[in-house]
Coordinates of all heavy atoms in Angstrom, one line a residue:
C1 N 44.1 26.6 206.2 CA 43.2 27.4 207.1 C 43.9 28.7 207.5 O 45.1 28.9 207.5 CB 43.0 26.6 208.4 SG 42.0 25.1 208.1
L2 N 43.0 29.7 207.7 CA 43.5 31.0 208.1 C 43.3 31.2 209.6 O 42.4 30.7 210.2 CB 42.7 32.1 207.4 CG 42.9 32.1 205.8 CD1 41.8 33.1 205.3 CD2 44.2 32.5 205.4
S3 N 44.2 31.9 210.2 CA 44.0 32.2 211.6 C 42.8 33.1 211.8 O 42.4 33.8 210.8 CB 45.2 32.9 212.2 OG 45.4 34.2 211.6
Q4 N 42.2 33.2 213.0 CA 41.1 34.0 213.2 C 41.4 35.5 212.9 O 40.6 36.2 212.3 CB 40.6 33.9 214.6 CG 39.6 32.8 214.9 CD 38.9 32.9 216.2 OE1 39.6 33.4 217.2 NE2 37.7 32.5 216.3
R5 N 42.6 35.9 213.3 CA 42.9 37.3 213.1 C 43.0 37.6 211.6 O 42.6 38.7 211.1 CB 44.3 37.6 213.7 CG 44.8 39.0 213.6 CD 46.1 39.3 214.3 NE 46.0 39.0 215.7 CZ 47.0 39.0 216.5 NH1 48.2 39.3 216.1 NH2 46.9 38.7 217.8
L6 N 43.6 36.7 210.8 CA 43.8 36.9 209.4 C 42.4 36.9 208.7 O 42.1 37.7 207.8 CB 44.6 35.8 208.8 CG 45.1 36.0 207.4 CD1 45.9 37.3 207.2 CD2 46.0 34.8 206.9
Q7 N 41.5 36.0 209.2 CA 40.1 36.0 208.6 C 39.4 37.3 208.8 O 38.8 37.8 207.9 CB 39.3 34.8 209.2 CG 39.8 33.5 208.8 CD 38.8 32.4 209.2 OE1 37.6 32.6 209.2 NE2 39.3 31.2 209.5
V8 N 39.5 37.8 210.0 CA 38.8 39.1 210.3 C 39.4 40.2 209.5 O 38.6 41.0 208.9 CB 38.9 39.4 211.8 CG1 38.4 40.8 212.1 CG2 38.2 38.4 212.7
K9 N 40.7 40.3 209.4 CA 41.4 41.3 208.6 C 41.0 41.3 207.2 O 40.7 42.3 206.5 CB 42.9 41.2 208.8 CG 43.7 42.3 208.1 CD 45.2 42.1 208.4 CE 46.0 43.2 207.7 NZ 47.4 43.0 207.9
F10 N 41.0 40.1 206.6 CA 40.7 39.9 205.2 C 39.3 40.2 204.9 O 39.0 40.8 203.9 CB 41.1 38.4 204.8 CG 41.1 38.2 203.3 CD1 42.1 38.8 202.6 CD2 40.2 37.4 202.7 CE1 42.1 38.6 201.2 CE2 40.2 37.1 201.4 CZ 41.2 37.7 200.6
R11 N 38.4 39.8 205.7 CA 36.9 40.1 205.5 C 36.7 41.6 205.6 O 35.9 42.1 204.8 CB 36.1 39.3 206.5 CG 35.8 37.9 206.2 CD 34.6 37.3 206.9 NE 34.3 36.0 206.5 CZ 34.7 34.9 207.2 NH1 35.4 35.0 208.3 NH2 34.4 33.7 206.8
A12 N 37.3 42.2 206.5 CA 37.1 43.7 206.6 C 37.7 44.4 205.3 O 37.0 45.3 204.8 CB 37.9 44.2 207.8
Y13 N 38.8 43.9 204.8 CA 39.4 44.5 203.6 C 38.4 44.3 202.5 O 38.1 45.3 201.7 CB 40.7 43.8 203.3 CG 41.3 44.3 202.0 CD1 42.0 45.5 201.9 CD2 41.2 43.5 200.9 CE1 42.5 45.9 200.7 CE2 41.7 43.9 199.6 CZ 42.4 45.1 199.6 OH 42.9 45.5 198.4
F14 N 37.9 43.1 202.3 CA 37.0 42.9 201.1 C 35.7 43.6 201.3 O 35.0 43.9 200.3 CB 36.8 41.4 200.9 CG 37.8 40.9 199.9 CD1 39.0 40.4 200.2 CD2 37.5 40.9 198.5 CE1 40.0 40.0 199.3 CE2 38.4 40.5 197.6 CZ 39.6 40.0 197.9
A15 N 35.2 43.8 202.5 CA 34.0 44.5 202.7 C 34.1 45.9 202.2 O 33.2 46.5 201.6 CB 33.6 44.5 204.2
I16 N 35.3 46.5 202.4 CA 35.6 47.9 201.9 C 35.7 47.9 200.4 O 35.1 48.8 199.7 CB 36.9 48.4 202.6 CG1 36.7 48.6 204.1 CG2 37.3 49.8 201.9 CD1 38.0 48.9 204.8
I17 N 36.5 47.0 199.8 CA 36.7 47.1 198.4 C 35.4 46.7 197.6 O 35.2 47.2 196.5 CB 37.8 46.2 197.9 CG1 37.5 44.7 198.2 CG2 39.1 46.6 198.6 CD1 38.6 43.8 197.6
I18 N 34.5 45.9 198.2 CA 33.3 45.6 197.5 C 32.4 46.9 197.4 O 31.8 47.1 196.3 CB 32.5 44.5 198.2 CG1 33.2 43.2 198.0 CG2 31.1 44.4 197.7 CD1 32.6 42.0 198.8
L19 N 32.5 47.7 198.4 CA 31.7 49.0 198.4 C 32.3 49.9 197.3 O 31.6 50.6 196.5 CB 31.8 49.7 199.7 CG 31.0 49.1 200.9 CD1 31.3 49.8 202.2 CD2 29.5 49.1 200.6
I20 N 33.7 49.9 197.1 CA 34.3 50.7 196.1 C 34.0 50.1 194.7 O 33.7 50.8 193.8 CB 35.8 50.7 196.3 CG1 36.2 51.3 197.7 CG2 36.5 51.5 195.2 CD1 37.6 51.2 198.0
A21 N 33.9 48.8 194.6 CA 33.7 48.1 193.3 C 32.4 48.5 192.7 O 32.2 48.5 191.5 CB 33.8 46.6 193.5
V22 N 31.4 48.8 193.5 CA 30.1 49.1 193.0 C 30.2 50.3 192.1 O 29.5 50.4 191.1 CB 29.1 49.4 194.2 CG1 27.8 49.9 193.7 CG2 28.9 48.1 195.0
Q23 N 31.2 51.2 192.4 CA 31.3 52.4 191.6 C 32.1 52.1 190.3 O 32.1 52.9 189.4 CB 32.1 53.5 192.4 CG 31.5 53.8 193.7 CD 30.0 54.4 193.6 OE1 29.8 55.1 192.7 NE2 29.1 54.0 194.4
L24 N 32.8 51.0 190.2 CA 33.6 50.7 189.1 C 33.0 49.7 188.1 O 33.3 49.8 186.9 CB 34.9 50.1 189.6 CG 35.8 51.0 190.4 CD1 37.1 50.2 190.9 CD2 36.3 52.2 189.6
V25 N 32.2 48.8 188.5 CA 31.6 47.8 187.6 C 30.1 47.8 187.7 O 29.5 48.0 188.8 CB 32.2 46.4 188.0 CG1 33.6 46.3 187.7 CG2 31.8 45.9 189.4
Q26 N 29.5 47.6 186.6 CA 28.0 47.4 186.5 C 27.7 46.2 185.8 O 28.3 45.9 184.7 CB 27.4 48.6 185.8 CG 27.7 50.0 186.5 CD 27.0 50.1 187.8 OE1 26.0 49.5 188.0 NE2 27.5 51.0 188.6
P27 N 26.8 45.3 186.3 CA 26.4 44.1 185.6 C 26.0 44.3 184.2 O 26.2 43.4 183.3 CB 25.3 43.5 186.5 CG 25.4 44.2 187.8 CD 26.0 45.6 187.5
T28 N 25.4 45.4 183.8 CA 24.9 45.6 182.5 C 25.6 46.7 181.7 O 25.1 47.3 180.9 CB 23.4 45.9 182.5 OG1 23.2 47.1 183.3 CG2 22.6 44.8 183.1
M29 N 26.9 46.9 182.2 CA 27.6 48.1 181.6 C 27.8 47.9 180.1 O 28.0 46.9 179.6 CB 28.9 48.3 182.3 CG 29.9 47.1 182.1 SD 31.4 47.4 183.1 CE 32.3 45.9 182.8

């Protein structure tokens, strides 16, 4: 299990990188 603080930090990080990832990968590239 992750602490609440770690969960919030990790989710925030992945929310940002997912936005960046849209520019890097395309499903039908």
